[in-house]
Amino acid sequence: MTSRLNPYLSFDGDARQAMEFYEQVFGGTLALNTFGAAGMPDGAYTDKIMHGMLETPSGFALMAADTPPGMEHGAGSNFSVSLSGDDAAELRGYWEKLSAGGTVDVPLEKQMWGDVFGMCRDRFGIPWMVNISEPAG
C-alpha cells in the first residue's frame, strides 16, 4: 500500500451523518464501521462510528470517527481540510456544497497571490480551505 496523507475527523456523535454528507459532496465509496460491530457492547455507542473512510473518484481519502467513550471531543479548532487544484468548476462545486448551511470565513475569490481562495466551516463545524490555481500550461 502506498503511503497517504489525509485528514481524520473526530465528531461528537454525528460522524455517520457527516460522512454521508461528504459522500454526497465528493461521491465515492463510503465504508462505516460501528463500535457495536467491533464488539463494544455499550448501548449508547453501538451504532456510533468507530472508523469511517470515504475514498473518492478524484483520489481523495477522508477518515472519521465518533469520539470514543472516556475521551474529550474538541470540535475543529486545530486543523483545516484543504482542497486545491486547477479544475475551477470541480472545486467551485465542492465549495458550494461545503459552504451551504455553514459559515463563510473568507469568500471564494481572487487573492493577492493570484489564486482563487476561500475558507468556510461546513454545517458540522469542520473548517475547509479551497484554493484554485491557474491551470499549468
Side-chain angles (χ1 to χ4, degrees):
M1 174 185 237
T2 303
S3 297
R4 73 168 93 187
L5 176 67
N6 61 274
Y8 200 114
L9 309 176
S10 295
F11 293 93
D12 193 17
D14 57 356
R16 178 183 304 278
Q17 294 89 340
M19 292 301 282
E20 289 171 349
F21 169 67
Y22 300 139
E23 180 185 27
Q24 291 173 357
V25 171
F26 299 111
T29 304
L30 177 61
L32 298 173
N33 301 304
T34 63
F35 285 97
M40 184 175 204
D42 182 348
Y45 276 81
T46 300
D47 293 325
K48 300 297 180 190
I49 303 304
M50 185 184 80
H51 176 73
M53 181 167 181
L54 176 64
E55 293 183 287
T56 75
S58 295
F60 302 153
L62 184 61
M63 295 180 186
D66 286 310
T67 303
M71 292 183 70
E72 188 172 324
H73 179 263
S77 61
N78 61 350
F79 71 96
S80 291
V81 182
S82 175
L83 288 172
S84 59
D86 61 10
D87 188 329
E90 178 183 40
L91 291 164
R92 285 183 185 280
Y94 294 151
W95 170 265
E96 292 302 322
K97 292 174 185 176
L98 289 166
S99 62
T103 304
V104 173
D105 298 314
V106 176
L108 185 65
E109 58 191 22
K110 188 116 174 156
Q111 300 298 320
M112 64 182 170
W113 62 87
D115 292 350
V116 173
F117 176 83
M119 292 175 63
C120 68
R121 288 183 182 270
D122 68 26
R123 64 185 186 193
F124 295 99
I126 303 301
W128 294 84
M129 298 183 298
V130 175
N131 192 86
I132 305 168
S133 58
E134 292 294 319

